[in-house]
Amino acid sequence: MSFSDSEPRVSPLRQLGTYLAVILSSIALTLLTLRIFPGLLPALPPASNQVQEIAAQTAVQASPSSFVAAAIRRVGPAVVRIDTERTISANPVPFFSDPFFRDFFGYDPFPSQPREFRQRGEGSGFIIDPNGVIVTNAHVVSGADTVTVTLKDGRKFKGKVRGMDEPSDLAIVKIDGKNLPVAPLGNSSDVQVGDWAIAVGNPLGLDNTVTLGIVSTLNRSSAQVGIPDKRLDFIQTDAAINPGNSGGPLVSDRGEVIGINTAIRPDAQGIGFAIPIDTAKAIKDTLVRGEKVQHPYLGIRMLTLTPDLAEQLKADPNAPANLPDTEGVLIVQVIPNSPAAAAGLRQGDVITRIGGRTVKTAEQLQDVVEKSKIGQSLNITVQRGNQTQDLTVRPGELQDAVTR
């Protein structure tokens, strides 16, 4: 008999049971030790604190006001205050020039020569070039003898008006600076009704004021706004705009300038208007060079003719005779010595086509004229009574007409 045959055999199941018993005993002993001595565990931050911290950060990022703060951080340093002074001449009241007062006082207490006084004004603007090129409204700096520009950090500069365009109410002011903060410019063509709108400026002398609203509507004509002497289609917003905001930026939720705040309606609250930034981008280089911006004009006063308006005019004995039954642009007046007068246009004519484009509103006609070239022929189709006539007009320069 061999040696191996003399040893007892152990069952595999019995060996497995022994192993499991040892493992379970070790786990139980470890848990008991940790319970008796909890200090042996490494210190870990509570999981609940981590969850709360992450939740708080998410809440801040999702906060409705956070995008406004981010937008102002981008644009705010480039927004400036503009203070102006101009000399105003005023004639004395004629009543006090009566000889009776001279005889009574023994001298003329109110000399007849004009009296001068200093008028101060204020507005806003924003820097578009690190060397000190500033965009603002023309009416902010028009006629100013001195222009003082104050940056957000308190630095003051003497400003010089490099260029100004009254029809678009835009101006460029230059200061001597280097490495100045610049406002990023957006595209007003991308703006939609309902987008956020942030107005930044210095209203009523309250520097660095921010108001929030939305874009209420687009392409609001200057005639609808109440300033028919301008050549503009405005962005309308309900962001609060007050005197002193003029020339400041209207900013998108991305922190880009989409307009220049310019006008308010005194007869309404919560309605403000801004010049689209694309309009400023198109002429800013011309103004920086000190050159005039050309604005083609025909020399007519016009109305959009609708069937309802036609019926009202026909009932008016002062209305033009033989008013045609058609939609188009009614000529209310032809300015003497204007391109329209030279082309043979008359009061009462209804323009239905111009430059190959059918027009039904005054805004459509103005858009065609504004995009035309001075001196270049434009074909016009008019309805004159029962007759249709084709005429040719050559737009002139608006600024030349104003200075005549």
Side-chain angles (χ1 to χ4, degrees):
M1 178 182 295
S2 66
F3 178 78
S4 61
D5 291 338
S6 65
E7 293 182 346
R9 294 182 177 274
V10 180
S11 170
L13 291 176
R14 195 171 189 181
Q15 287 182 338
L16 179 60
T18 301
Y19 294 153
L20 288 175
V22 172
I23 293 172
L24 291 175
S25 298
S26 299
I27 294 175
L29 182 60
T30 301
L31 293 176
L32 180 60
T33 303
L34 292 176
R35 186 169 183 178
I36 296 174
F37 303 103
L40 296 176
L41 283 173
L44 295 174
S48 58
N49 290 346
Q50 292 179 334
V51 173
Q52 291 175 359
E53 183 177 352
I54 294 173
Q57 292 176 353
T58 303
V60 169
Q61 294 174 356
S63 172
S65 63
S66 61
F67 75 89
V68 179
I72 297 306
R73 283 194 295 271
R74 292 193 70 190
V75 177
V79 179
V80 302
R81 173 174 172 165
I82 299 177
D83 292 288
T84 61
E85 284 193 5
R86 52 180 59 86
T87 302
I88 302 296
S89 298
N91 291 316
V93 179
F95 176 78
F96 293 109
S97 299
D98 191 279
F100 169 79
F101 285 93
R102 289 197 298 269
D103 295 340
F104 181 81
F105 287 101
Y107 64 95
D108 186 358
F110 303 98
S112 58
Q113 65 267 22
R115 295 187 173 187
E116 295 183 347
F117 63 94
R118 304 289 288 176
Q119 183 185 63
R120 292 180 173 85
E122 62 184 28
S124 304
F126 54 95
I127 305 170
I128 62 171
D129 184 275
N131 292 322
V133 177
I134 298 169
V135 173
T136 186
N137 285 147
H139 73 261
V140 170
V141 296
S142 179
D145 300 320
T146 62
V147 177
T148 302
V149 176
T150 305
L151 273 58
K152 186 178 180 181
D153 60 15
R155 286 182 291 169
K156 292 182 181 292
F157 296 85
K158 182 178 179 181
K160 180 180 179 181
V161 179
R162 292 291 295 270
M164 186 166 55
D165 184 53
E166 297 282 359
S168 63
D169 196 21
L170 289 170
I172 293 292
V173 174
K174 180 69 172 65
I175 61 176
D176 291 331
K178 292 183 178 180
N179 299 320
L180 298 176
V182 174
L185 305 184
N187 298 306
S188 51
S189 58
D190 296 334
V191 176
Q192 299 182 19
V193 174
D195 284 350
W196 289 110
I198 308 166
V200 190
N202 308 286
L204 306 172
L206 303 173
D207 294 352
N208 307 316
T209 297
V210 177
T211 56
L212 176 65
I214 63 168
V215 173
S216 304
T217 194
L218 299 169
N219 301 319
R220 183 69 76 190
S221 71
S222 54
Q224 292 174 317
V225 172
I227 43 177
D229 58 322
K230 302 302 179 185
R231 293 288 190 92
L232 290 168
D233 289 329
F234 292 96
I235 298 172
Q236 181 178 322
T237 176
D238 65 351
I241 297 176
N242 295 289
N245 268 120
S246 292
L250 188 70
V251 182
S252 71
D253 57 354
R254 297 179 299 277
E256 298 175 340
V257 180
I258 57 174
I260 301 98
N261 302 318
T262 187
I264 55 176
R265 284 288 292 267
D267 57 343
Q269 293 183 349
I271 300 178
F273 302 94
I275 303 167
I277 192 60
D278 289 356
T279 301
K281 289 194 294 186
I283 67 173
K284 63 179 178 63
D285 293 337
T286 301
L287 295 179
V288 169
R289 294 191 298 268
E291 300 174 358
K292 290 200 309 183
V293 178
Q294 293 188 335
H295 293 279
Y297 92 112
L298 299 184
I300 60 174
R301 301 189 188 279
M302 54 189 174
L303 285 175
T304 299
L305 184 64
T306 62
D308 291 341
L309 179 59
E311 291 298 323
Q312 296 177 21
L313 291 176
K314 288 179 180 179
D316 185 350
N318 297 318
N322 300 322
L323 191 66
D325 293 323
T326 185
E327 289 185 331
V329 180
L330 173 66
I331 298 178
V332 178
Q333 180 186 6
V334 177
I335 308 301
N337 303 317
S338 66
L345 290 169
R346 301 178 186 174
Q347 179 186 20
D349 286 350
V350 178
I351 300 174
T352 57
R353 288 182 63 83
I354 181 170
R357 175 180 167 184
T358 300
V359 290
K360 294 185 178 181
T361 67
E363 289 77 18
Q364 290 174 343
L365 187 146
Q366 185 59 59
D367 182 62
V368 174
V369 174
E370 187 69 21
K371 293 178 180 178
S372 67
K373 294 183 179 180
I374 295 173
Q376 181 177 328
S377 298
L378 277 178
N379 296 324
I380 292 185
T381 300
V382 300
Q383 190 71 25
R384 182 174 295 170
N386 296 325
Q387 297 181 345
T388 300
Q389 295 196 15
D390 293 323
L391 304 173
T392 301
V393 63
R394 297 178 183 273
E397 166 56 47
L398 179 62
Q399 296 286 7
D400 294 341
V402 172
T403 55
R404 283 176 186 168

